[in-house]
Amino acid sequence: MKKALITGITGQDGSYLAEFLLSKDYEVHGLIRRASTFNTNRIDHIYVDPHSQGAKFFLHYGDLSDSSQLTNLIYEVKPEEIYHLGAQSHVRVSFQTPEYTGNVTGLGVIRLLEAIRASGIKTRFYQASSSEMFGAANPPQSEKTAFYPRSPYAVAKIYGYWITVNYREAYNLFACNGILFNHESPRRGETFVSRKITMAVAKILAGKQDKLYLGNLKAKRDWGYAPEYVVCQWLMLQQENPDDYVIGTGDSNTVEDFVKEAFAYVGLDCQKHIEIDPKYFRPTEVDFLQADISKAKKVLKWEPKIKFNELVKIMVDADLELIGLKSPGQGKVILKDKGINWTDNKITVG
């Protein structure tokens, strides 16, 4: 039984990855921050008493700003694979908390890599890099595209990217960067624009909200389905040699496209409910992100199945159900988030 350690396990990707690895019969360990309130709702359904017979899922308190704690945890668990997903991951917030973002999102990576090096364990390391690193670079963006960051978050992610490459080359560590473009799901945080839109659709339909305030509607993003992307994270660590990969769909849509698709799905006129609020604009914008996934297709033998319009419907359906409403399809939903089966590394309806 392989052991895996996941930072950021309470987030969207962390929860899906934990499910996937458990389906592969891994023993999964997750790093969570100690706080006065619990933030484990995305993983509560897979948590069992760690002292029970056959338990394969364990949570450990820790923090990406505490080097000694990370070193002790890695030495104690001795995982064969480490998936570093933890970060301050909200781009707009990074302008308000640039130092904290640099400390956690950037320096958190070197703390983990140093813990691996110092402990001497043989492990494979995955670094969650981001399409935001490309920033103002012309699309489509591939592994060979030069970075042009447009936020403190993106700058911190670039540090994490290059220190991962450096430790791979300097210490012969099996360390990979997954440069993932936007990937969404019903587990996306409600402050992110995709989930903000789908939650608003549900609340407006239920009469609990009237207006949705947004920023730059013309920003173009390559949007994919998060459960498919965590399979890629695993695939990278199963290769013979470590490398870096761009993961996306190869398509791009504007925020406005997302809004229109979501509202039209439930028969709402978005023009009656959308307002532009300047506070949601970034000081420096990223206008156009679109992935070139040629390498992932060739080496990882992977390409996404869920298309943009299907992704939007999945998220709207989930938020309608969350608020107690029925989907427009009367149950004929393309894919239910809670119905994910991980079979042969492919996502099927449960």
Side-chain angles (χ1 to χ4, degrees):
M1 184 185 296
K2 281 186 177 180
K3 290 183 184 180
L5 172 65
I6 304 173
T7 70
I9 197 167
T10 59
Q12 170 187 255
D13 287 18
S15 64
Y16 285 126
L17 181 60
E19 290 176 351
F20 175 71
L21 294 177
L22 288 168
S23 79
K24 293 285 185 185
D25 203 33
Y26 276 66
E27 180 179 298
V28 176
H29 295 256
L31 183 70
I32 61 172
R33 285 178 294 176
R34 186 180 292 278
S36 57
T37 57
F38 288 106
N39 183 31
T40 59
N41 59 299
R42 294 185 182 95
I43 56 173
D44 284 341
H45 65 289
I46 57 176
Y47 186 75
V48 296
D49 183 355
H51 302 293
S52 65
Q53 187 174 4
K56 297 193 300 178
F57 187 65
F58 305 90
L59 298 177
H60 306 267
Y61 287 113
D63 196 289
L64 293 173
S65 63
D66 190 333
S67 302
S68 61
Q69 199 173 38
L70 294 173
T71 301
N72 291 338
L73 177 60
I74 287 174
Y75 186 79
E76 175 190 336
V77 175
K78 295 182 175 61
E80 281 90 352
E81 296 172 6
I82 296 175
Y83 296 87
H84 180 39
L85 313 181
Q88 189 300 99
S89 58
H90 200 287
V91 178
R92 186 65 183 84
V93 170
S94 76
F95 286 99
Q96 299 165 336
T97 59
E99 183 179 345
Y100 174 77
T101 300
N103 185 26
V104 174
T105 305
L107 294 180
V109 185
I110 189 67
R111 293 183 183 110
L112 280 168
L113 289 168
E114 264 297 285
I116 293 169
R117 187 191 66 80
S119 67
I121 68 167
K122 295 295 182 183
T123 190
R124 297 188 169 203
F125 178 79
Y126 171 84
Q127 162 61 12
S129 290
S130 168
S131 60
E132 286 286 333
M133 301 188 305
F134 293 122
N138 292 328
Q141 294 98 359
S142 73
E143 294 83 2
K144 296 180 180 179
T145 302
F147 300 137
Y148 191 157
R150 302 280 282 169
S151 67
Y153 168 78
V155 172
K157 279 293 186 181
I158 288 175
Y159 176 86
Y161 173 93
W162 281 117
I163 202 64
T164 298
V165 172
N166 181 253
Y167 268 60
R168 180 170 71 212
E169 296 175 350
Y171 302 111
N172 199 32
L173 298 184
F174 194 108
C176 300
N177 281 291
I179 308 174
L180 273 56
F181 281 60
N182 291 63
H183 46 291
E184 319 296 323
S185 78
R187 298 185 193 176
R188 190 59 140 152
E190 293 180 24
T191 59
F192 290 85
V193 69
S194 59
R195 186 75 193 289
K196 183 177 176 181
I197 293 167
T198 59
M199 276 296 295
V201 166
K203 288 181 178 179
I204 290 169
L205 207 61
K208 298 182 178 182
Q209 183 175 328
D210 182 52
K211 296 293 184 180
L212 170 60
Y213 295 92
L214 296 170
N216 182 11
L217 295 182
K218 300 304 180 184
K220 299 188 75 172
R221 294 293 184 270
D222 186 327
W223 271 301
Y225 187 44
E228 293 191 303
Y229 285 37
V230 302
V231 176
C232 282
Q233 296 170 2
W234 176 77
L235 285 171
M236 290 179 207
L237 299 195
Q238 312 314 307
Q239 303 305 305
E240 184 175 348
N241 298 306
D243 208 342
D244 309 314
Y245 299 88
V246 161
I247 303 297
T249 69
D251 295 322
S252 189
N253 291 275
T254 64
V255 174
E256 188 174 23
D257 292 334
F258 201 113
V259 169
K260 289 179 177 179
E261 189 77 32
F263 276 74
Y265 180 50
V266 298
L268 289 174
D269 182 357
C270 63
Q271 299 296 329
K272 295 180 180 179
H273 301 283
I274 300 300
E275 298 284 350
I276 302 301
D277 189 334
K279 77 177 182 180
Y280 293 117
F281 282 84
R282 303 176 186 177
T284 43
E285 289 285 346
V286 173
D287 295 319
F288 194 169
L289 296 176
Q290 184 177 4
D292 177 348
I293 60 171
S294 303
K295 184 176 178 180
K297 287 182 178 180
K298 180 180 179 181
V299 180
L300 302 179
K301 311 299 181 187
W302 176 91
E303 58 182 300
K305 301 294 188 294
I306 303 299
K307 305 301 182 183
F308 173 73
N309 64 328
E310 296 171 329
L311 167 66
V312 175
K313 290 175 182 177
I314 291 168
M315 295 181 67
V316 172
D317 280 333
D319 282 330
L320 288 173
E321 184 177 340
L322 184 66
I323 212 165
L325 299 177
K326 189 174 288 187
S327 76
Q330 300 297 308
K332 297 176 183 177
V333 186
I334 294 170
L335 182 63
K336 286 274 191 176
D337 179 63
K338 65 183 180 183
I340 294 170
N341 285 330
W342 311 96
T343 306
D344 298 327
N345 309 334
K346 298 175 183 177
I347 298 170
T348 57
V349 179

